[in-house]
Amino acid sequence: MAGFRLAVLGTLFSTIAAIIVFALIYNATRIASKEELAPIIAGDRADVLSDAISDRLPLEQELRQTVAHAPSHTFYALLDARGKVLFANITMPPEPTEWSTITRLTDPQMPQGVQRIDGIGRDLPNGGFLFIGEDASVFAALNKRVAVIFAVVFSALIGIGLLASLLIVGHSLKRVQAISDASVDIMTGDLSRRIEAYGIDDELDVLTEELNRMLETIEHLVENARQVTNDIAHDLRSPLVRLHEWIKHLLKLDAVRKDPVLSSGLEAALSQTTLIISVFVSLLRLAEVEAGSLQGGFTALDLSALVTNICDEFSAVAIDAGQSLRCAAEENLCISGDSALLTQLIVNLVENAIRYSPAGGIINVTLSSDKKSLFRLEIADQGPGIPEEDRDRVFRRFVRLDQSRNTPGHGLGLPLVRAIAKLHGAQITLLDNHPGLIVRVEFRG
């Protein structure tokens, strides 16, 4: 239905614009190629990175399996952080970060039957680079055919059909792209995002309405789960605080002091109530941050000074633990944020580094910037690290790995760190330090 209406519109437009089609067709097909293939390439990139994580395989091995089992219209070139080629079934173009076209003139080893490959590359979180190209032979063939036809017969009928097709593809891709953009926002945590319907009651509008109803249900379920947790934490904190104070009062009584067994038991109970209260306080703090209610208190602050001051305060703590805390912060790096929350983020990460680093270990805290106003905070320790397959799981509430079982904590530190980072528009990544862990937080200046 939608395709028929657009085809009619294309036919009407072609009667007016047939004369200028010949001059615009090459550029129009290139634009159509980019509009059609760019979302596919973005989807391929997301799929292969997601599959590599879920399959727990290096990206190089995941690409080999993908090429072995997938259709031959997708091509990859993977480089490591030093520029070494790890895997490639296509020659990397000269400017891979821009939309690139590869032909047999630039890559004589292109597979048989493939006339042109269009694609684009992006940096990977580990410093590597991945270029993905799609078979664009159909667009190359279209350009050649159109040139011959217009040169020989200048057929208005072919021009009408071509332009109508381009309009249909362009309009359809625009709507599909809108769905894709909404999906990306939802996957990054914005559950309130909805897909805009065009109001023409076609198949895509029906799909949009169904997706929006599904998203509304998911949002309500997630919100209800969060609310239950927050309500429990809020309702139980007050009686626990009263119990805590009552135990402290009992410990001061002479009868209790004279009974070592009773006194020891009450001391243990007091310690446990302290831990439980800290869990509830962390839960409520996490709920506040995730709700975004604290964002109204953002002000301009000197991130460099904040990092330096925290390092100065924790240097003595590291020395007491037999460790060395080193700080290298580039000066005058300012962002908009909440000073108390960012202090909590940095303190949590530095405390974790000290807690899990061995005696004699070195903890490096660095803050640097690049030409794109990206501020990078890194805390590197020499502890046991976190296995790659667990690096997403540790950001979930109450998750503690085996190596953390014998250390104080309740599994809410890293979830709070990620929530604070997200509130400030920052990206947090866990990397290997060989040995140890590097926690990288990237802010926009």
Side-chain angles (χ1 to χ4, degrees):
M1 183 166 51
F4 175 77
R5 287 198 293 265
L6 289 173
V8 172
L9 179 62
T11 302
L12 179 61
F13 181 80
S14 67
T15 60
I16 302 171
I19 299 176
I20 61 173
V21 168
F22 180 67
L24 298 178
I25 193 63
Y26 283 95
N27 185 54
T29 53
R30 178 169 176 80
I31 293 174
S33 170
K34 183 176 180 181
E35 289 178 344
E36 182 174 5
L37 297 180
I40 297 175
I41 291 172
D44 287 341
R45 182 180 297 106
D47 289 343
V48 74
L49 293 177
S50 175
D51 290 344
I53 294 174
S54 62
D55 295 340
R56 301 180 181 179
L57 294 175
L59 184 54
E60 174 187 357
Q61 188 174 347
E62 183 65 37
L63 290 176
R64 294 186 186 278
Q65 293 186 7
T66 300
V67 171
H69 298 93
S72 60
H73 55 71
T74 306
F75 303 88
Y76 305 90
L78 175 64
L79 306 180
D80 63 12
R82 295 170 294 183
K84 179 182 177 182
V85 177
L86 299 178
F87 174 79
N89 61 350
I90 188 177
T91 300
M92 185 79 75
E95 298 293 337
T97 58
E98 303 292 337
W99 187 258
S100 302
T101 296
I102 302 173
T103 64
R104 291 195 176 277
L105 294 176
T106 57
D107 186 5
Q109 298 181 352
M110 283 175 57
Q112 291 295 327
V114 178
Q115 301 178 33
R116 192 178 92 189
I117 298 173
D118 288 355
I120 191 170
R122 288 288 183 266
D123 292 325
L124 298 174
N126 63 2
F129 187 87
L130 175 62
F131 177 88
I132 300 180
E134 285 285 333
D135 185 355
S137 299
V138 62
F139 294 99
L142 180 61
N143 279 339
K144 183 177 180 180
R145 187 183 309 116
V146 169
V148 171
I149 292 174
F150 271 92
V152 177
V153 294
F154 196 71
S155 171
L157 182 62
I158 298 298
I160 292 172
L162 176 63
L163 189 57
S165 299
L166 290 174
L167 288 174
I168 293 171
V169 170
H171 186 77
S172 299
L173 284 177
K174 183 178 179 181
R175 300 181 64 184
V176 172
Q177 184 62 47
I179 296 176
S180 176
D181 292 342
S183 300
V184 171
D185 292 340
I186 293 165
M187 286 188 292
T188 55
D190 184 8
L191 295 179
S192 63
R193 182 77 152 85
R194 296 295 180 266
I195 304 168
E196 182 181 359
Y198 275 61
I200 55 179
D201 197 27
D202 62 355
E203 292 82 358
L204 285 177
D205 269 0
V206 172
L207 175 62
T208 297
E209 292 175 2
E210 294 294 333
L211 288 174
N212 284 337
R213 281 197 290 268
M214 179 187 70
L215 292 171
E216 187 173 353
T217 301
I218 293 174
E219 183 183 15
H220 288 161
L221 291 173
V222 172
E223 183 58 34
N224 288 340
R226 287 179 178 173
Q227 191 61 44
V228 168
T229 303
N230 298 337
D231 289 345
I232 291 174
H234 187 275
D235 293 341
L236 290 183
R237 184 176 63 170
S238 296
L240 277 169
V241 170
R242 290 195 294 270
L243 175 62
H244 183 80
E245 293 301 319
W246 178 243
I247 294 174
K248 289 172 63 176
H249 173 71
L250 291 176
L251 283 169
K252 296 177 182 178
L253 300 177
D254 291 338
V256 173
R257 292 178 179 177
K258 294 177 181 179
D259 189 334
V261 176
L262 180 58
S263 177
S264 175
L266 288 175
E267 288 284 357
L270 184 67
S271 175
Q272 291 301 311
T273 57
T274 301
L275 175 62
I276 296 172
I277 291 171
S278 71
V279 171
F280 288 154
V281 169
S282 297
L283 277 172
L284 294 173
R285 184 65 164 172
L286 182 57
E288 285 184 319
V289 175
E290 289 181 337
S293 58
L294 305 177
Q295 197 169 26
F298 278 19
T299 59
L301 59 89
D302 189 338
L303 185 61
S304 304
L306 187 64
V307 171
T308 301
N309 291 338
I310 291 174
C311 287
D312 291 342
E313 293 175 3
F314 276 87
S315 292
V317 178
I319 291 174
D320 290 342
Q323 302 159 357
S324 175
L325 177 63
R326 301 175 182 176
C327 182
E330 188 176 329
E331 295 182 353
N332 301 321
L333 300 185
C334 298
I335 64 172
S336 175
D338 185 293
S339 178
L341 290 178
L342 289 175
T343 298
Q344 187 165 15
L345 180 149
I346 300 169
V347 166
N348 281 6
L349 295 179
V350 173
E351 285 182 338
N352 280 349
I354 294 175
R355 181 180 298 123
Y356 294 111
S357 289
I362 299 174
I363 300 165
N364 289 303
V365 180
T366 59
L367 178 65
S368 59
S369 65
D370 62 12
K371 296 180 180 178
K372 298 180 180 179
S373 297
L374 183 71
F375 300 162
R376 177 174 293 172
L377 171 67
E378 290 188 346
I379 295 91
D381 62 50
Q382 294 180 328
I386 297 177
E388 186 174 355
E389 61 271 17
D390 292 326
R391 290 177 190 169
D392 182 64
R393 194 165 65 90
V394 294
F395 288 109
R396 302 174 189 170
R397 297 184 182 191
F398 300 111
V399 170
R400 303 196 73 204
L401 303 183
D402 292 339
Q403 60 263 38
S404 305
R405 296 297 178 187
N406 297 324
T407 58
H410 38 62
L412 291 173
L414 284 179
L416 182 58
V417 165
R418 184 168 69 170
I420 295 173
K422 182 178 179 181
L423 185 68
H424 288 80
Q427 178 71 33
I428 184 167
T429 310
L430 304 183
L431 305 168
D432 278 325
N433 194 34
H434 305 292
L437 180 71
I438 298 175
V439 182
R440 175 182 295 169
V441 186
E442 294 178 319
F443 300 87
R444 286 292 175 186

